[in-house]
Amino acid sequence: MSSMRESPILQNHLPHDLVLNILANLPVKSVLRFRCVRKSWNSSITSPSFISSHLKLNGSLRLLFMQPDWIPFAPHRRQCIVICEHSFDRISKFDIPLTFTPRIVGSCNGLLCLEEGRDYVYLLNPSIGKFKRVSTSLPIPSPTVTEAATGFGYDSETNDYKIVRIIYHLWSPTPPPQAEIYTLKSGSWRRLHFPLAPDFIIKRMSSFMLPIPFVSGALHWMLHEGKGEEPPRRSFILKFDVNEEKFGMIATPFADTNAHCHPLAFKGKLALTEFEEHSLLNLWVMKEYGVHQSWTKLFVVPLLDRVHSRFYGCSENGLLILEKSNHFFANGKMRIARKCISIDIETLHERGVDGIGTQNLECEVNFMESLVLLDGADMVPVRL
Amino acid sequence: MASSSTSVVVSNKEKENKNTKKVTLKSSDGESFEVDESVAMESQTIKHIIEDGCANNEIPLPNVTSGILSRVIEYCKKHKEAAGESEPSVTSYTSNSTTNPLTEWDTEFVKVDQNTLFDLILAANYLDIKGLLDLTCKTVADMMKGKTPQEIRETFHIKNDYTPEEEAEVRKENQWAFE
């Protein structure tokens, strides 16, 4: 097969750095397999620079769905199904290997951040089968009226992953809300200054089950302020710049303290869903980050009350993920069949997300496969 | 593809009509190729040589044989043409990532034997032509996807320097990647 070469330099032999260029194009599974080829490949593959260059080339968008596993005597078990964002082909399926009911806080560069109640946070890279447990440090004085809001993001300047937690009390301004931050590089928590007015009462932060969006280098929670049983007086977006480690405020484009709005990421921009009277979903996009006038109502999606029964999120490229309930009569009873659908926000084209099933879907996040944390310390290997 | 026996001297004076400005590239096996300067400048390496004013006669490329050089020139010509024709892409909220109009042509271009493919990678690297390097690397990666480590060693003529125990351990750590 090899032909004669006149120049001795041009042999069928690629230098190591070109080999790495090639390897960086491979999917995670292949890369992991090729750790066995030779030692220099193994040490290159597990190096931070390779992990970063692989991430840049391999960021194919996926959608990850989490739902109960329905294993007898293990009601906490959850499984995740990963599908291609474009074709909806199934990419992988795995169980979350933990002994509690997890909640997905966020997903960043192929890492999932999961939390259990208020005490533990976990980082999991299911593509390489490694996870790390992080215990939180802020004390919870009154578990019944204390809530925790958590966010997970990536600091591009230091190539570090950060978890932010805000502990707040529902009915009184004292004790005041507290915040802490964990960085993967430091391996520890550190208090943060939480700069809200002393008489501020947080009524509610964000909404259950929807992950906190990480966009424009910041985390964003929906914060509703108000007193006790009254409806919220004011709502705004609390943001946290992950690089600068500072909190800030972003006002919503609408004056109403709408209880049904969620911040999310849309094509790399901060967006806000606004549900109008169960029949319309408006998507506002902040075209210029931080500029209030740039809030633009880009899309309006008609929804059917009681049919579009639950909103799970919106993918980076504008696929709304919803639950659709089909009410019908059978055997003299009213029954409901639920399924997971996507609606393209631009074309309004509806597609069934097959393979997710009619089980109770809990959560949907954007996802990608990566090697992140392959070089990490204190990672527990896990069989997925 | 081969030029006539007389090589064309490139003038370093500024010419208004850039379309006719040519350079001559000489392969390792002594063949000369006359190409438009703008096409040759798809290669950052050649671009620097020209800009540094060192391209008086021919530009010798001792690391690239004529067979490979002619293919590289073909790639550069095609991509330079396409860049000239296409309209600047409009940023739109509703479009996904920009699609490469030459995808089909590129796919056909890399349907070559493995030796040629590796030589194209080396040439693209030496000549610093990003598009060609990315394309060829991705092509080799696609070929590698389903293979076993042993098959990869054969493809790249690599010796296994793991002891059997060491290899078994790395394999065990990533067991599920082999399924």
Side-chain angles (χ1 to χ4, degrees), chain A residues 1-2 5-6 12 30 33 35-37 39 42 127 267 346 383, chain B residues 29 63 93-94 115 118-119 141 145 147 153 161-162 166 174 176 179:
Chain A
M1 205 166 64
S2 54
R5 295 263 177 258
E6 289 184 359
N12 207 338
S30 301
R33 253 198 342 266
R35 288 178 64 186
C36 289
V37 170
K39 288 182 181 175
N42 188 24
S127 311
K267 301 206 187 206
E346 184 204 336
R383 180 68 202 275
Chain B
D29 46 340
N63 288 358
Y93 281 112
T94 54
N115 284 343
F118 279 25
D119 286 341
K145 266 185 202 162
K147 296 202 162 139
R153 288 186 203 115
D161 56 355
Y162 279 114
E166 287 169 338
N174 304 285
W176 59 280
E179 286 155 20

PDB file of all heavy atoms in Angstrom, chain A residues 1-2 5-6 12 30 33 35-37 39 42 127 267 346 383, chain B residues 29 63 93-94 115 118-119 141 145 147 153 161-162 166 174 176 179:
ATOM      1  N   MET A   1       0.814  -1.195   0.000  1.00  0.00           N
ATOM      2  CA  MET A   1       0.000   0.000   0.000  1.00  0.00           C
ATOM      3  C   MET A   1       0.859   1.262   0.000  1.00  0.00           C
ATOM      4  O   MET A   1       0.507   2.254  -0.581  1.00  0.00           O
ATOM      5  CB  MET A   1      -0.922   0.004   1.248  1.00  0.00           C
ATOM      6  CG  MET A   1      -2.146   0.832   1.024  1.00  0.00           C
ATOM      7  SD  MET A   1      -3.444   0.561   2.249  1.00  0.00           S
ATOM      8  CE  MET A   1      -2.743   1.116   3.761  1.00  0.00           C
ATOM      9  N   SER A   2       1.961   1.236   0.678  1.00  0.00           N
ATOM     10  CA  SER A   2       2.760   2.474   0.713  1.00  0.00           C
ATOM     11  C   SER A   2       3.589   2.581  -0.565  1.00  0.00           C
ATOM     12  O   SER A   2       4.122   1.606  -1.079  1.00  0.00           O
ATOM     13  CB  SER A   2       3.663   2.486   1.939  1.00  0.00           C
ATOM     14  OG  SER A   2       4.436   1.321   1.967  1.00  0.00           O
ATOM     15  N   ARG A   5       8.707   7.091  -1.720  1.00  0.00           N
ATOM     16  CA  ARG A   5       8.746   8.534  -1.481  1.00  0.00           C
ATOM     17  C   ARG A   5      10.141   9.023  -1.793  1.00  0.00           C
ATOM     18  O   ARG A   5      11.104   8.400  -1.414  1.00  0.00           O
ATOM     19  CB  ARG A   5       8.425   8.844  -0.019  1.00  0.00           C
ATOM     20  CG  ARG A   5       7.021   8.484   0.361  1.00  0.00           C
ATOM     21  CD  ARG A   5       6.136   9.712   0.290  1.00  0.00           C
ATOM     22  NE  ARG A   5       4.754   9.354   0.591  1.00  0.00           N
ATOM     23  CZ  ARG A   5       3.826   9.201  -0.328  1.00  0.00           C
ATOM     24  NH1 ARG A   5       4.120   9.357  -1.584  1.00  0.00           N
ATOM     25  NH2 ARG A   5       2.607   8.883   0.019  1.00  0.00           N
ATOM     26  N   GLU A   6      10.242  10.154  -2.442  1.00  0.00           N
ATOM     27  CA  GLU A   6      11.566  10.693  -2.695  1.00  0.00           C
ATOM     28  C   GLU A   6      12.085  11.419  -1.472  1.00  0.00           C
ATOM     29  O   GLU A   6      13.248  11.341  -1.135  1.00  0.00           O
ATOM     30  CB  GLU A   6      11.530  11.635  -3.897  1.00  0.00           C
ATOM     31  CG  GLU A   6      11.328  10.865  -5.178  1.00  0.00           C
ATOM     32  CD  GLU A   6      11.372  11.761  -6.398  1.00  0.00           C
ATOM     33  OE1 GLU A   6      11.537  12.983  -6.237  1.00  0.00           O
ATOM     34  OE2 GLU A   6      11.230  11.220  -7.498  1.00  0.00           O
ATOM     35  N   ASN A  12       4.851   7.828   6.146  1.00  0.00           N
ATOM     36  CA  ASN A  12       3.474   7.659   6.595  1.00  0.00           C
ATOM     37  C   ASN A  12       3.428   7.728   8.115  1.00  0.00           C
ATOM     38  O   ASN A  12       2.987   6.824   8.786  1.00  0.00           O
ATOM     39  CB  ASN A  12       2.963   6.301   6.115  1.00  0.00           C
ATOM     40  CG  ASN A  12       1.469   6.347   5.951  1.00  0.00           C
ATOM     41  OD1 ASN A  12       0.801   7.187   6.548  1.00  0.00           O
ATOM     42  ND2 ASN A  12       0.948   5.455   5.161  1.00  0.00           N
ATOM     43  N   SER A  30     -14.806   6.863  21.663  1.00  0.00           N
ATOM     44  CA  SER A  30     -13.614   6.467  20.901  1.00  0.00           C
ATOM     45  C   SER A  30     -12.355   6.970  21.581  1.00  0.00           C
ATOM     46  O   SER A  30     -11.368   6.242  21.693  1.00  0.00           O
ATOM     47  CB  SER A  30     -13.664   7.019  19.478  1.00  0.00           C
ATOM     48  OG  SER A  30     -14.792   6.556  18.797  1.00  0.00           O
ATOM     49  N   ARG A  33     -11.452   4.814  24.450  1.00  0.00           N
ATOM     50  CA  ARG A  33     -10.916   3.512  23.998  1.00  0.00           C
ATOM     51  C   ARG A  33      -9.460   3.639  23.603  1.00  0.00           C
ATOM     52  O   ARG A  33      -8.650   2.773  23.885  1.00  0.00           O
ATOM     53  CB  ARG A  33     -11.706   3.037  22.782  1.00  0.00           C
ATOM     54  CG  ARG A  33     -12.625   1.916  23.072  1.00  0.00           C
ATOM     55  CD  ARG A  33     -13.124   1.126  21.888  1.00  0.00           C
ATOM     56  NE  ARG A  33     -13.028   1.688  20.593  1.00  0.00           N
ATOM     57  CZ  ARG A  33     -14.004   2.379  19.989  1.00  0.00           C
ATOM     58  NH1 ARG A  33     -15.125   2.593  20.623  1.00  0.00           N
ATOM     59  NH2 ARG A  33     -13.844   2.844  18.780  1.00  0.00           N
ATOM     60  N   ARG A  35      -7.182   5.392  24.696  1.00  0.00           N
ATOM     61  CA  ARG A  35      -6.203   5.580  25.767  1.00  0.00           C
ATOM     62  C   ARG A  35      -5.292   4.362  25.834  1.00  0.00           C
ATOM     63  O   ARG A  35      -4.161   4.437  26.310  1.00  0.00           O
ATOM     64  CB  ARG A  35      -6.903   5.760  27.118  1.00  0.00           C
ATOM     65  CG  ARG A  35      -7.595   7.094  27.261  1.00  0.00           C
ATOM     66  CD  ARG A  35      -8.306   7.213  28.592  1.00  0.00           C
ATOM     67  NE  ARG A  35      -7.360   7.169  29.694  1.00  0.00           N
ATOM     68  CZ  ARG A  35      -7.719   7.137  30.975  1.00  0.00           C
ATOM     69  NH1 ARG A  35      -8.994   7.139  31.304  1.00  0.00           N
ATOM     70  NH2 ARG A  35      -6.809   7.100  31.912  1.00  0.00           N
ATOM     71  N   CYS A  36      -5.800   3.220  25.333  1.00  0.00           N
ATOM     72  CA  CYS A  36      -5.035   1.964  25.376  1.00  0.00           C
ATOM     73  C   CYS A  36      -4.004   1.847  24.274  1.00  0.00           C
ATOM     74  O   CYS A  36      -3.207   0.914  24.291  1.00  0.00           O
ATOM     75  CB  CYS A  36      -5.985   0.780  25.201  1.00  0.00           C
ATOM     76  SG  CYS A  36      -7.022   0.519  26.592  1.00  0.00           S
ATOM     77  N   VAL A  37      -4.010   2.720  23.314  1.00  0.00           N
ATOM     78  CA  VAL A  37      -3.143   2.545  22.149  1.00  0.00           C
ATOM     79  C   VAL A  37      -1.666   2.632  22.534  1.00  0.00           C
ATOM     80  O   VAL A  37      -0.868   1.771  22.206  1.00  0.00           O
ATOM     81  CB  VAL A  37      -3.483   3.574  21.053  1.00  0.00           C
ATOM     82  CG1 VAL A  37      -2.446   3.575  19.943  1.00  0.00           C
ATOM     83  CG2 VAL A  37      -4.857   3.282  20.475  1.00  0.00           C
ATOM     84  N   LYS A  39       1.123   4.811  25.630  1.00  0.00           N
ATOM     85  CA  LYS A  39       1.163   5.654  26.832  1.00  0.00           C
ATOM     86  C   LYS A  39       1.116   7.140  26.544  1.00  0.00           C
ATOM     87  O   LYS A  39       0.465   7.897  27.264  1.00  0.00           O
ATOM     88  CB  LYS A  39       2.433   5.341  27.649  1.00  0.00           C
ATOM     89  CG  LYS A  39       2.370   4.009  28.352  1.00  0.00           C
ATOM     90  CD  LYS A  39       3.618   3.759  29.172  1.00  0.00           C
ATOM     91  CE  LYS A  39       3.513   2.394  29.832  1.00  0.00           C
ATOM     92  NZ  LYS A  39       4.747   2.042  30.545  1.00  0.00           N
ATOM     93  N   ASN A  42      -2.314   8.248  26.040  1.00  0.00           N
ATOM     94  CA  ASN A  42      -3.061   8.292  27.290  1.00  0.00           C
ATOM     95  C   ASN A  42      -2.769   9.574  28.051  1.00  0.00           C
ATOM     96  O   ASN A  42      -3.676  10.253  28.521  1.00  0.00           O
ATOM     97  CB  ASN A  42      -2.726   7.075  28.151  1.00  0.00           C
ATOM     98  CG  ASN A  42      -3.632   6.982  29.364  1.00  0.00           C
ATOM     99  OD1 ASN A  42      -4.737   7.512  29.375  1.00  0.00           O
ATOM    100  ND2 ASN A  42      -3.175   6.303  30.397  1.00  0.00           N
ATOM    101  N   SER A 127     -20.566  10.953  30.344  1.00  0.00           N
ATOM    102  CA  SER A 127     -19.883  10.456  29.148  1.00  0.00           C
ATOM    103  C   SER A 127     -18.596   9.744  29.484  1.00  0.00           C
ATOM    104  O   SER A 127     -18.132   8.901  28.710  1.00  0.00           O
ATOM    105  CB  SER A 127     -19.590  11.610  28.193  1.00  0.00           C
ATOM    106  OG  SER A 127     -20.732  12.381  27.988  1.00  0.00           O
ATOM    107  N   LYS A 267     -30.039  30.568  21.943  1.00  0.00           N
ATOM    108  CA  LYS A 267     -28.990  30.905  20.975  1.00  0.00           C
ATOM    109  C   LYS A 267     -27.949  31.837  21.589  1.00  0.00           C
ATOM    110  O   LYS A 267     -27.545  32.824  21.005  1.00  0.00           O
ATOM    111  CB  LYS A 267     -29.589  31.535  19.716  1.00  0.00           C
ATOM    112  CG  LYS A 267     -30.554  30.614  19.052  1.00  0.00           C
ATOM    113  CD  LYS A 267     -30.687  30.876  17.569  1.00  0.00           C
ATOM    114  CE  LYS A 267     -31.804  29.997  17.034  1.00  0.00           C
ATOM    115  NZ  LYS A 267     -31.809  29.624  15.714  1.00  0.00           N
ATOM    116  N   GLU A 346     -39.754  28.913  16.048  1.00  0.00           N
ATOM    117  CA  GLU A 346     -39.779  29.770  14.883  1.00  0.00           C
ATOM    118  C   GLU A 346     -40.853  29.326  13.904  1.00  0.00           C
ATOM    119  O   GLU A 346     -41.609  30.127  13.382  1.00  0.00           O
ATOM    120  CB  GLU A 346     -38.393  29.685  14.255  1.00  0.00           C
ATOM    121  CG  GLU A 346     -38.167  30.573  13.092  1.00  0.00           C
ATOM    122  CD  GLU A 346     -37.054  30.018  12.214  1.00  0.00           C
ATOM    123  OE1 GLU A 346     -36.221  29.264  12.742  1.00  0.00           O
ATOM    124  OE2 GLU A 346     -37.031  30.337  11.020  1.00  0.00           O
ATOM    125  N   ARG A 383     -20.065   3.099  37.054  1.00  0.00           N
ATOM    126  CA  ARG A 383     -20.494   2.328  35.901  1.00  0.00           C
ATOM    127  C   ARG A 383     -21.888   2.810  35.534  1.00  0.00           C
ATOM    128  O   ARG A 383     -22.795   2.732  36.320  1.00  0.00           O
ATOM    129  CB  ARG A 383     -20.523   0.839  36.293  1.00  0.00           C
ATOM    130  CG  ARG A 383     -20.947  -0.088  35.217  1.00  0.00           C
ATOM    131  CD  ARG A 383     -19.893  -0.150  34.090  1.00  0.00           C
ATOM    132  NE  ARG A 383     -20.505  -0.599  32.871  1.00  0.00           N
ATOM    133  CZ  ARG A 383     -20.691  -1.876  32.548  1.00  0.00           C
ATOM    134  NH1 ARG A 383     -20.294  -2.824  33.375  1.00  0.00           N
ATOM    135  NH2 ARG A 383     -21.263  -2.206  31.415  1.00  0.00           N
TER     136      ARG A 383
ATOM    137  N   ASP B  29       9.921  17.287  -5.716  1.00  0.00           N
ATOM    138  CA  ASP B  29      10.470  16.525  -6.842  1.00  0.00           C
ATOM    139  C   ASP B  29      10.652  17.387  -8.091  1.00  0.00           C
ATOM    140  O   ASP B  29      10.631  16.894  -9.213  1.00  0.00           O
ATOM    141  CB  ASP B  29       9.607  15.283  -7.137  1.00  0.00           C
ATOM    142  CG  ASP B  29       8.120  15.598  -7.150  1.00  0.00           C
ATOM    143  OD1 ASP B  29       7.716  16.640  -6.576  1.00  0.00           O
ATOM    144  OD2 ASP B  29       7.342  14.811  -7.706  1.00  0.00           O
ATOM    145  N   ASN B  63       8.924  20.071   1.356  1.00  0.00           N
ATOM    146  CA  ASN B  63       8.177  19.070   2.107  1.00  0.00           C
ATOM    147  C   ASN B  63       6.963  18.532   1.384  1.00  0.00           C
ATOM    148  O   ASN B  63       6.233  17.721   1.940  1.00  0.00           O
ATOM    149  CB  ASN B  63       7.707  19.672   3.441  1.00  0.00           C
ATOM    150  CG  ASN B  63       8.869  19.867   4.398  1.00  0.00           C
ATOM    151  OD1 ASN B  63       9.997  19.523   4.071  1.00  0.00           O
ATOM    152  ND2 ASN B  63       8.593  20.418   5.553  1.00  0.00           N
ATOM    153  N   TYR B  93     -31.367  35.102  14.012  1.00  0.00           N
ATOM    154  CA  TYR B  93     -31.724  34.334  15.200  1.00  0.00           C
ATOM    155  C   TYR B  93     -32.285  32.992  14.826  1.00  0.00           C
ATOM    156  O   TYR B  93     -32.343  32.097  15.627  1.00  0.00           O
ATOM    157  CB  TYR B  93     -32.777  35.091  16.016  1.00  0.00           C
ATOM    158  CG  TYR B  93     -32.156  36.182  16.821  1.00  0.00           C
ATOM    159  CD1 TYR B  93     -32.401  37.507  16.538  1.00  0.00           C
ATOM    160  CD2 TYR B  93     -31.275  35.880  17.855  1.00  0.00           C
ATOM    161  CE1 TYR B  93     -31.811  38.505  17.261  1.00  0.00           C
ATOM    162  CE2 TYR B  93     -30.678  36.875  18.579  1.00  0.00           C
ATOM    163  CZ  TYR B  93     -30.950  38.192  18.284  1.00  0.00           C
ATOM    164  OH  TYR B  93     -30.357  39.180  19.001  1.00  0.00           O
ATOM    165  N   THR B  94     -32.761  32.916  13.600  1.00  0.00           N
ATOM    166  CA  THR B  94     -33.508  31.719  13.262  1.00  0.00           C
ATOM    167  C   THR B  94     -32.679  30.702  12.482  1.00  0.00           C
ATOM    168  O   THR B  94     -33.127  29.603  12.264  1.00  0.00           O
ATOM    169  CB  THR B  94     -34.759  32.069  12.453  1.00  0.00           C
ATOM    170  OG1 THR B  94     -34.334  32.855  11.330  1.00  0.00           O
ATOM    171  CG2 THR B  94     -35.708  32.898  13.289  1.00  0.00           C
ATOM    172  N   ASN B 115      -2.529   6.784   2.540  1.00  0.00           N
ATOM    173  CA  ASN B 115      -1.234   7.450   2.429  1.00  0.00           C
ATOM    174  C   ASN B 115      -1.391   8.884   1.960  1.00  0.00           C
ATOM    175  O   ASN B 115      -0.788   9.806   2.493  1.00  0.00           O
ATOM    176  CB  ASN B 115      -0.319   6.715   1.432  1.00  0.00           C
ATOM    177  CG  ASN B 115       0.234   5.457   2.023  1.00  0.00           C
ATOM    178  OD1 ASN B 115       0.209   5.273   3.237  1.00  0.00           O
ATOM    179  ND2 ASN B 115       0.736   4.579   1.182  1.00  0.00           N
ATOM    180  N   PHE B 118      -2.854  11.092   4.689  1.00  0.00           N
ATOM    181  CA  PHE B 118      -1.857  11.485   5.683  1.00  0.00           C
ATOM    182  C   PHE B 118      -0.918  12.543   5.102  1.00  0.00           C
ATOM    183  O   PHE B 118      -0.537  13.496   5.784  1.00  0.00           O
ATOM    184  CB  PHE B 118      -1.049  10.268   6.140  1.00  0.00           C
ATOM    185  CG  PHE B 118      -1.729   9.427   7.189  1.00  0.00           C
ATOM    186  CD1 PHE B 118      -3.112   9.424   7.313  1.00  0.00           C
ATOM    187  CD2 PHE B 118      -1.009   8.633   8.054  1.00  0.00           C
ATOM    188  CE1 PHE B 118      -3.744   8.645   8.279  1.00  0.00           C
ATOM    189  CE2 PHE B 118      -1.627   7.848   9.025  1.00  0.00           C
ATOM    190  CZ  PHE B 118      -3.002   7.848   9.135  1.00  0.00           C
ATOM    191  N   ASP B 119      -0.535  12.370   3.836  1.00  0.00           N
ATOM    192  CA  ASP B 119       0.342  13.355   3.204  1.00  0.00           C
ATOM    193  C   ASP B 119      -0.355  14.706   3.087  1.00  0.00           C
ATOM    194  O   ASP B 119       0.281  15.754   3.242  1.00  0.00           O
ATOM    195  CB  ASP B 119       0.787  12.868   1.822  1.00  0.00           C
ATOM    196  CG  ASP B 119       1.822  11.757   1.907  1.00  0.00           C
ATOM    197  OD1 ASP B 119       2.445  11.618   2.993  1.00  0.00           O
ATOM    198  OD2 ASP B 119       2.016  11.037   0.906  1.00  0.00           O
ATOM    199  N   ALA B 141     -10.427  11.050  11.504  1.00  0.00           N
ATOM    200  CA  ALA B 141     -11.164  10.740  12.731  1.00  0.00           C
ATOM    201  C   ALA B 141     -12.376   9.872  12.414  1.00  0.00           C
ATOM    202  O   ALA B 141     -12.651   8.886  13.108  1.00  0.00           O
ATOM    203  CB  ALA B 141     -11.583  12.025  13.441  1.00  0.00           C
ATOM    204  N   LYS B 145     -13.299   5.934  14.013  1.00  0.00           N
ATOM    205  CA  LYS B 145     -14.345   5.835  15.037  1.00  0.00           C
ATOM    206  C   LYS B 145     -14.614   4.444  15.574  1.00  0.00           C
ATOM    207  O   LYS B 145     -14.641   4.207  16.756  1.00  0.00           O
ATOM    208  CB  LYS B 145     -15.661   6.406  14.505  1.00  0.00           C
ATOM    209  CG  LYS B 145     -15.854   7.857  14.867  1.00  0.00           C
ATOM    210  CD  LYS B 145     -17.219   8.371  14.438  1.00  0.00           C
ATOM    211  CE  LYS B 145     -17.193   9.880  14.320  1.00  0.00           C
ATOM    212  NZ  LYS B 145     -18.250  10.444  13.550  1.00  0.00           N
ATOM    213  N   LYS B 147     -12.938   1.686  15.384  1.00  0.00           N
ATOM    214  CA  LYS B 147     -11.828   0.730  15.433  1.00  0.00           C
ATOM    215  C   LYS B 147     -11.387   0.371  16.859  1.00  0.00           C
ATOM    216  O   LYS B 147     -11.632   1.096  17.812  1.00  0.00           O
ATOM    217  CB  LYS B 147     -10.635   1.286  14.657  1.00  0.00           C
ATOM    218  CG  LYS B 147     -10.918   1.466  13.173  1.00  0.00           C
ATOM    219  CD  LYS B 147      -9.655   1.503  12.348  1.00  0.00           C
ATOM    220  CE  LYS B 147     -10.033   1.222  10.902  1.00  0.00           C
ATOM    221  NZ  LYS B 147      -9.353   2.028   9.940  1.00  0.00           N
ATOM    222  N   ARG B 153      -3.292   1.026  16.087  1.00  0.00           N
ATOM    223  CA  ARG B 153      -1.827   0.900  16.073  1.00  0.00           C
ATOM    224  C   ARG B 153      -1.346   0.550  14.676  1.00  0.00           C
ATOM    225  O   ARG B 153      -0.322   1.061  14.212  1.00  0.00           O
ATOM    226  CB  ARG B 153      -1.362  -0.171  17.059  1.00  0.00           C
ATOM    227  CG  ARG B 153      -1.515   0.253  18.507  1.00  0.00           C
ATOM    228  CD  ARG B 153      -0.911  -0.763  19.467  1.00  0.00           C
ATOM    229  NE  ARG B 153      -1.522  -0.612  20.767  1.00  0.00           N
ATOM    230  CZ  ARG B 153      -2.275  -1.529  21.366  1.00  0.00           C
ATOM    231  NH1 ARG B 153      -2.493  -2.696  20.764  1.00  0.00           N
ATOM    232  NH2 ARG B 153      -2.804  -1.304  22.551  1.00  0.00           N
ATOM    233  N   ASP B 161       3.435   0.357  23.849  1.00  0.00           N
ATOM    234  CA  ASP B 161       4.452   0.383  24.905  1.00  0.00           C
ATOM    235  C   ASP B 161       3.881   0.089  26.286  1.00  0.00           C
ATOM    236  O   ASP B 161       4.515   0.291  27.310  1.00  0.00           O
ATOM    237  CB  ASP B 161       5.210   1.727  24.905  1.00  0.00           C
ATOM    238  CG  ASP B 161       4.255   2.904  25.055  1.00  0.00           C
ATOM    239  OD1 ASP B 161       3.024   2.704  25.060  1.00  0.00           O
ATOM    240  OD2 ASP B 161       4.744   4.044  25.154  1.00  0.00           O
ATOM    241  N   TYR B 162       2.638  -0.383  26.335  1.00  0.00           N
ATOM    242  CA  TYR B 162       2.065  -0.826  27.602  1.00  0.00           C
ATOM    243  C   TYR B 162       2.483  -2.262  27.869  1.00  0.00           C
ATOM    244  O   TYR B 162       2.574  -3.067  26.955  1.00  0.00           O
ATOM    245  CB  TYR B 162       0.527  -0.831  27.523  1.00  0.00           C
ATOM    246  CG  TYR B 162      -0.150   0.490  27.710  1.00  0.00           C
ATOM    247  CD1 TYR B 162      -0.846   1.073  26.649  1.00  0.00           C
ATOM    248  CD2 TYR B 162      -0.176   1.143  28.929  1.00  0.00           C
ATOM    249  CE1 TYR B 162      -1.516   2.279  26.812  1.00  0.00           C
ATOM    250  CE2 TYR B 162      -0.842   2.333  29.102  1.00  0.00           C
ATOM    251  CZ  TYR B 162      -1.503   2.894  28.030  1.00  0.00           C
ATOM    252  OH  TYR B 162      -2.173   4.078  28.202  1.00  0.00           O
ATOM    253  N   GLU B 166      -0.578  -3.244  32.448  1.00  0.00           N
ATOM    254  CA  GLU B 166      -0.901  -1.817  32.375  1.00  0.00           C
ATOM    255  C   GLU B 166      -2.067  -1.589  31.425  1.00  0.00           C
ATOM    256  O   GLU B 166      -2.995  -0.837  31.718  1.00  0.00           O
ATOM    257  CB  GLU B 166       0.314  -1.009  31.895  1.00  0.00           C
ATOM    258  CG  GLU B 166       1.415  -0.863  32.926  1.00  0.00           C
ATOM    259  CD  GLU B 166       2.692  -0.299  32.318  1.00  0.00           C
ATOM    260  OE1 GLU B 166       2.876  -0.410  31.082  1.00  0.00           O
ATOM    261  OE2 GLU B 166       3.498   0.250  33.079  1.00  0.00           O
ATOM    262  N   ASN B 174     -12.007   2.024  31.516  1.00  0.00           N
ATOM    263  CA  ASN B 174     -12.918   2.523  30.487  1.00  0.00           C
ATOM    264  C   ASN B 174     -13.671   1.383  29.814  1.00  0.00           C
ATOM    265  O   ASN B 174     -13.979   1.447  28.637  1.00  0.00           O
ATOM    266  CB  ASN B 174     -12.124   3.304  29.435  1.00  0.00           C
ATOM    267  CG  ASN B 174     -11.322   4.424  30.054  1.00  0.00           C
ATOM    268  OD1 ASN B 174     -11.865   5.445  30.437  1.00  0.00           O
ATOM    269  ND2 ASN B 174     -10.026   4.234  30.165  1.00  0.00           N
ATOM    270  N   TRP B 176     -16.634   0.250  29.657  1.00  0.00           N
ATOM    271  CA  TRP B 176     -17.897   0.429  28.952  1.00  0.00           C
ATOM    272  C   TRP B 176     -17.703   1.094  27.589  1.00  0.00           C
ATOM    273  O   TRP B 176     -18.566   0.994  26.728  1.00  0.00           O
ATOM    274  CB  TRP B 176     -18.857   1.251  29.816  1.00  0.00           C
ATOM    275  CG  TRP B 176     -18.309   2.592  30.152  1.00  0.00           C
ATOM    276  CD1 TRP B 176     -17.408   2.894  31.115  1.00  0.00           C
ATOM    277  CD2 TRP B 176     -18.608   3.822  29.490  1.00  0.00           C
ATOM    278  NE1 TRP B 176     -17.131   4.226  31.102  1.00  0.00           N
ATOM    279  CE2 TRP B 176     -17.848   4.828  30.121  1.00  0.00           C
ATOM    280  CE3 TRP B 176     -19.436   4.158  28.439  1.00  0.00           C
ATOM    281  CZ2 TRP B 176     -17.904   6.142  29.722  1.00  0.00           C
ATOM    282  CZ3 TRP B 176     -19.490   5.489  28.038  1.00  0.00           C
ATOM    283  CH2 TRP B 176     -18.723   6.461  28.687  1.00  0.00           C
ATOM    284  N   GLU B 179     -17.753  -1.491  24.760  1.00  0.00           N
ATOM    285  CA  GLU B 179     -18.955  -2.279  24.436  1.00  0.00           C
ATOM    286  C   GLU B 179     -19.653  -1.780  23.190  1.00  0.00           C
ATOM    287  O   GLU B 179     -19.617  -0.613  22.883  1.00  0.00           O
ATOM    288  CB  GLU B 179     -19.915  -2.254  25.627  1.00  0.00           C
ATOM    289  CG  GLU B 179     -19.425  -3.134  26.762  1.00  0.00           C
ATOM    290  CD  GLU B 179     -19.968  -2.673  28.103  1.00  0.00           C
ATOM    291  OE1 GLU B 179     -20.981  -1.957  28.076  1.00  0.00           O
ATOM    292  OE2 GLU B 179     -19.383  -3.041  29.123  1.00  0.00           O
TER     293      GLU B 179
END
